[in-house]
Amino acid sequence: MPADEPAAVPPTLRQRRRATATREILDTAEAHIAEHGAAALSLRAVARSLGMTVQALYHYFPSRDDLVTALVTKAYDDLADAVRAAVDAETDDPALPRLVAAAEGYRHWAITHRERFQLLYGTPLRYYTAPVEGPTTRAMRRMSAIFERELFDGFTAAQLAAADTPALSAPLRGHLAQLPPSGLGGLPPPATALLMSAWGHMHGLVVLEVFGHTSFLGDHQAEIFRMAMRTLFEDVRGRIPTGK
């Protein structure tokens, strides 16, 4: 460590206790959601499960919205971790595109944590509004960045700008060009449109499965999903000029 770099200050006992209590509250709230659904979440129920008063819980989460924001942020982070792990994992198919591996990690987390997935993408909780540019937005962008890298890996900005997409209207192109660089604004508008289209296709298939609308496929849902993701990947990549 450089001599002029200050040593990290270890957390105090009070800070460690607060962090432990916060984790216990979030774990309990997640268990409550898994059993009763996100709509039934309440500070009183969580406090009762922990053997504490609602007033004591307010010291950690002053309102239901604060707790929901923390739960949504953690769910996005856990989902992003699962997607990243799926990309980094060894596979029995060395030719499997990393985008397909990422999509399968997304699907597996969603069907394994159905209630938490529905907290993110199901019916919006009544009276809850996520903070603008808050932790939930940052966590969501972290996950979308993984898909962006796996989908467009190896292409230059000029190639992405020349992607073969249906003609974008001037208002849409202008809107996409004004997106913040910390989000999708770092991509040329045609690439952003391709990414959102691909994301919607993948996410839609996962939603159908989470809500039980593809049960008629029986045990073959994973195989159909992989086939669809391979086709999606090849279609998107085929729309981007190689530069040769």
Side-chain angles (χ1 to χ4, degrees):
M1 182 173 63
D4 59 348
E5 183 176 323
V9 178
T12 65
L13 176 60
R14 181 175 183 178
Q15 290 171 329
R16 295 198 302 272
R17 285 176 173 172
R18 183 177 182 84
T20 298
T22 299
R23 285 195 299 271
E24 289 182 358
I25 293 170
L26 291 176
D27 289 345
T28 301
E30 287 176 350
H32 187 85
I33 288 174
E35 183 176 356
H36 304 288
L41 180 67
S42 72
L43 291 180
R44 188 174 301 279
V46 172
R48 184 166 56 247
S49 297
L50 287 166
M52 62 192 305
T53 65
V54 176
Q55 288 71 26
L57 194 59
Y58 285 147
H59 290 296
Y60 302 94
F61 297 99
S63 71
R64 172 178 170 271
D65 280 6
D66 291 311
L67 177 58
V68 172
T69 295
L71 288 168
V72 170
T73 302
K74 186 174 182 298
Y76 272 125
D77 282 336
D78 289 350
L79 178 52
D81 288 343
V83 171
R84 183 74 261 174
V87 172
D88 294 339
E90 295 291 336
T91 175
D92 56 1
D93 182 359
L96 186 72
R98 293 199 298 172
L99 183 279
V100 177
E104 290 186 327
Y106 186 92
R107 170 188 174 271
H108 184 265
W109 190 91
I111 62 177
T112 305
H113 305 88
R114 295 175 185 266
E115 295 294 346
R116 294 182 67 199
F117 184 79
Q118 291 181 42
L119 174 66
L120 299 179
Y121 298 114
T123 303
L125 293 180
R126 181 175 294 184
Y127 308 125
Y128 172 74
T129 301
V132 177
E133 294 297 317
T136 57
T137 301
R138 293 191 294 271
M140 180 178 62
R141 286 175 177 167
R142 176 190 165 217
M143 182 178 59
S144 65
I146 299 175
F147 284 96
E148 177 185 328
R149 289 192 299 270
E150 309 313 342
L151 187 61
F152 297 138
D153 183 42
F155 290 114
T156 66
Q159 288 172 300
L160 295 178
D164 177 22
T165 62
L168 304 179
S169 68
L172 174 57
R173 182 177 287 273
H175 175 76
L176 295 179
Q178 293 175 9
L179 292 175
S182 59
L184 296 175
L187 291 173
T192 301
L194 274 180
L195 176 61
M196 295 306 298
S197 177
W199 174 274
H201 185 74
M202 178 207 71
H203 178 71
L205 290 176
V206 172
V207 167
L208 287 175
E209 185 171 357
V210 167
F211 283 86
H213 299 309
T214 55
S215 58
F216 64 90
L217 294 174
D219 296 332
H220 307 288
Q221 295 180 84
E223 181 179 351
I224 293 294
F225 183 80
R226 173 172 286 196
M227 181 184 71
M229 292 303 99
R230 280 186 179 273
T231 301
L232 176 67
F233 176 76
E234 292 167 1
D235 176 67
V236 171
R237 302 279 291 193
R239 291 177 177 274
I240 305 173
T242 60
K244 295 181 180 179

